[in-house]
Amino acid sequence: KFDKDEDKQIGIISFYGKQIKQLQSIAFKHSSLPIRVSTVDRFQGMERNIVIVSMVRSNIIQSSRDQKPDKKRFAQSPNRLNVALSRAKRLLIIVGNQELFSSLDIYQRLFTTIKTNSNNRILKQDEV
């Protein structure tokens, strides 16, 4: 049960500023919900009961099926990842491509941790 208004707020955070603009426009359409949309860096020091972390990343326009993403551009700072994952008091939802992010060591450890905890669930796109 959420008695205070601040307890009802949902945080949506992303590593990418341009994505925040898109998320803000979507959140505005659902203004009846108390949603705060911000970058990971600006969300530092804040908490919400429910936090959705967008790890969706598309930094290239694929010109061929064989083209690989530029992994150097992904958010790889352990400090920023820690901020992103530690803002939720009750429920943390991570949205992203597990296969793509698991190819980087820092994210492989994250997904391994998620998989080994029986309280966690990883959903495929068609299950959402």
Side-chain angles (χ1 to χ4, degrees), residues 50-81:
I50 300 168
V51 173
I52 301 168
V53 178
S54 173
M55 295 176 72
V56 174
R57 178 67 185 177
S58 177
N59 60 341
I60 58 171
I61 296 173
Q62 190 173 7
S63 59
S64 72
R65 298 191 122 210
D66 301 341
Q67 188 175 2
K68 303 290 184 219
D70 180 2
K71 294 178 187 170
K72 291 181 215 160
R73 295 181 182 238
F74 288 159
Q76 295 186 54
S77 164
N79 293 341
R80 291 180 79 211
L81 183 59

Side-chain angles (χ1 to χ4, degrees), residues 2 11 14 20 23 49 53 68 74 83 95-96 112:
F2 301 115
S14 172
I20 289 299
L23 292 169
N49 280 318
V53 178
K68 303 290 184 219
F74 288 159
V83 169
V95 179
T112 299

Side-chain angles (χ1 to χ4, degrees), residues 7-117:
D7 289 339
K8 298 174 188 176
Q9 288 187 339
I10 299 168
I12 301 176
I13 56 179
S14 172
F15 293 94
Y16 312 109
K18 288 191 177 188
Q19 191 174 87
I20 289 299
K21 291 180 193 247
Q22 290 288 337
L23 292 169
Q24 286 172 331
S25 69
I26 293 168
F28 181 75
K29 293 176 185 175
H30 301 280
S31 59
S32 62
L33 297 172
I35 300 173
R36 172 151 183 137
V37 181
S38 191
T39 62
V40 171
D41 300 317
R42 288 192 176 139
F43 216 83
Q44 190 165 354
M46 291 187 254
E47 291 182 324
R48 298 290 183 264
N49 280 318
I50 300 168
V51 173
I52 301 168
V53 178
S54 173
M55 295 176 72
V56 174
R57 178 67 185 177
S58 177
N59 60 341
I60 58 171
I61 296 173
Q62 190 173 7
S63 59
S64 72
R65 298 191 122 210
D66 301 341
Q67 188 175 2
K68 303 290 184 219
D70 180 2
K71 294 178 187 170
K72 291 181 215 160
R73 295 181 182 238
F74 288 159
Q76 295 186 54
S77 164
N79 293 341
R80 291 180 79 211
L81 183 59
N82 181 54
V83 169
L85 301 178
S86 62
R87 304 298 94 192
K89 294 183 198 176
R90 296 187 181 186
L91 176 65
L92 173 65
I93 299 169
I94 302 171
V95 179
N97 183 322
Q98 177 185 350
E99 182 180 324
L100 179 62
F101 277 94
S102 291
S103 64
L104 296 168
D105 187 50
I106 189 172
Y107 294 103
Q108 177 58 47
R109 290 189 306 252
L110 168 63
F111 286 111
T112 299
T113 301
I114 291 169
K115 287 179 187 177
T116 57
N117 184 325

